[in-house]
Amino acid sequence: MGERQALVLGATGGIGGATARRLLDGGWRVRALTRGAGEGIDPRCEIVRGDARDADAVVAAAAGAEAILHAVNPPGYRDWAGQVLPMLDATLAAARATGARVVLPGTVYNYGPDAFPLIDEDAPQRPVTRKGAIRVELERRLAALAASGAAPVLIVRAGDFFGPGAANNWFAQGLVTPGARPRVVRQPGRRGVGHQWAYLPDVAETIARLLDRPALPAFARFHLDGQWDEDGRRMVEAIVRALGDPTVPIRRLAWWQLRLAALVATTPRELMEMRYLWRRPVRLGNARLVAELGAEPHTPLDAAVRATLASLGCLVPAAPARAPGEAAPALA
């Protein structure tokens, strides 16, 4: 049997980078399509220059691949409606040309309140947001691809991502501020409202193990349980433990400030659209995944949080307190 090959679209992002690393560790040959020079991509990857919206470029990069990880999104949520589906159409063209299985990291955006609180893979997809409607259309096109027999599909759906190498998420944009030791940890939801998180290396491990399964259906869909924060405090309290300072306060996220920022900035506007996911418990059920794999890959929360904070530059030592009247140290 020859070397297994995969094409990763979005290798500079959190889930794309984590999955590329896991596949490389598992002996796969991984090709990464990028518009840049490959900064931040695992050096073991074969770098191919190109645009994920260019079908010809994606088809060429996918030559010989048995899997195409579609983990690419518009940076900073810019022009989401105008870019997400053209990117997918390029991936679909590559899958038809090669027969490679398309792997999509899925989200809970597809679902509306009628599917809450516990969601399985067959729950109705009736979203209440613009991004949710686009994600439903994206998955509809993938289902049509699989039904046509041209190429199989694997959708692995999880909660909010966090982990090393990922900054465009709620953990890094809502709970803490990257690049410095947090003086406060912010809690987006109310106490008692559960929330679902997914540690990127665990999601990547799940994808890799599923790709090893010999008899996946042509249109395979699995949900991860990930890190379930049953009372809305488990994650923020884990951050405080990782900081090693129980005096770091946990405060409610100031949604009114985010609402004001949304008037002039794209990222806060997109975050505001997802507020409904913090107002009531939303949990993906993983029974199908457990039946397939026997167990879901799971890193202990404290270890996952510490690795995430370290990658964000949030574990720098706190400055020592000065005694009353003590002068600040002189600069060299």
Side-chain angles (χ1 to χ4, degrees):
M1 183 177 177
E3 187 178 35
R4 304 179 76 185
Q5 297 183 47
L7 170 64
V8 174
L9 306 176
T12 58
I15 188 57
T19 305
R21 288 188 292 273
R22 171 56 182 84
L23 293 178
L24 288 162
D25 291 344
W28 287 65
R29 178 183 174 189
V30 177
R31 189 174 293 144
L33 182 73
T34 178
R35 289 184 296 175
E39 296 90 346
I41 297 177
D42 191 298
R44 296 174 293 173
C45 288
E46 177 188 350
I47 304 298
V48 178
R49 298 287 291 272
D51 194 311
R53 296 166 296 184
D54 181 346
D56 290 339
V58 180
V59 169
E66 69 171 84
I68 303 172
L69 178 68
H70 186 87
V72 61
N73 282 302
Y77 297 106
R78 289 189 296 274
D79 193 18
W80 180 276
Q83 295 195 58
V84 168
L85 292 176
M87 286 177 176
L88 178 71
D89 287 341
T91 294
L92 295 177
R96 293 189 188 98
T98 63
R101 184 182 288 271
V102 178
V103 182
L104 176 75
T107 74
V108 298
Y109 301 168
N110 300 53
Y111 303 102
D114 61 327
F116 300 166
L118 185 63
I119 305 170
D120 67 21
E121 291 83 355
D122 297 319
Q125 296 191 6
R126 288 188 279 265
V128 295
T129 66
R130 294 176 298 108
K131 285 196 295 296
I134 293 170
R135 296 292 300 197
V136 169
E137 173 58 21
L138 188 150
E139 293 189 20
R140 186 197 67 77
R141 295 185 189 188
L142 287 171
L145 172 74
S148 74
V153 170
L154 169 62
I155 298 174
V156 178
R157 198 180 316 279
D160 277 325
F161 289 153
F162 73 106
N168 189 28
N169 54 49
W170 272 104
F171 190 105
Q173 294 175 313
L175 276 62
V176 300
T177 300
R181 187 178 181 83
R183 296 182 178 180
V184 62
V185 178
R186 294 178 293 272
Q187 179 182 342
R190 296 191 308 274
R191 182 189 287 269
V193 177
H195 195 78
Q196 197 160 36
W197 299 88
Y199 184 52
L200 289 171
D202 291 342
V203 182
E205 179 68 25
T206 300
I207 290 172
R209 291 189 193 183
L210 288 170
L211 287 174
D212 285 341
R213 304 296 290 175
L216 285 182
F219 188 58
R221 297 171 297 161
F222 295 93
H223 289 179
L224 275 76
D225 189 41
Q227 300 283 354
W228 174 243
D229 183 346
E230 65 278 355
D231 64 356
R233 296 279 295 185
R234 187 166 172 257
M235 177 61 80
V236 292
E237 289 173 353
I239 293 173
V240 172
R241 284 196 302 273
L243 294 173
D245 182 0
T247 67
V248 174
I250 298 171
R251 295 177 182 157
R252 287 289 306 278
L253 179 70
W255 285 97
W256 67 270
Q257 292 179 340
L258 200 61
R259 187 179 298 110
L260 288 177
L263 297 175
V264 295
T266 300
T267 297
R269 188 179 310 125
E270 299 298 333
L271 293 176
M272 281 299 302
E273 189 181 44
M274 295 296 107
R275 187 179 183 181
Y276 76 102
L277 295 172
W278 293 97
R279 286 177 159 159
R280 56 189 298 183
V282 181
R283 188 174 188 178
L284 299 167
N286 71 342
R288 180 181 293 180
L289 178 67
V290 172
E292 183 68 33
L293 296 183
E296 178 181 322
H298 184 82
T299 301
L301 179 62
D302 283 357
V305 167
R306 185 169 184 84
T308 303
L309 290 172
S311 76
L312 294 173
C314 292
L315 290 184
V316 294
R322 296 196 299 273
E326 180 183 355
L331 296 177

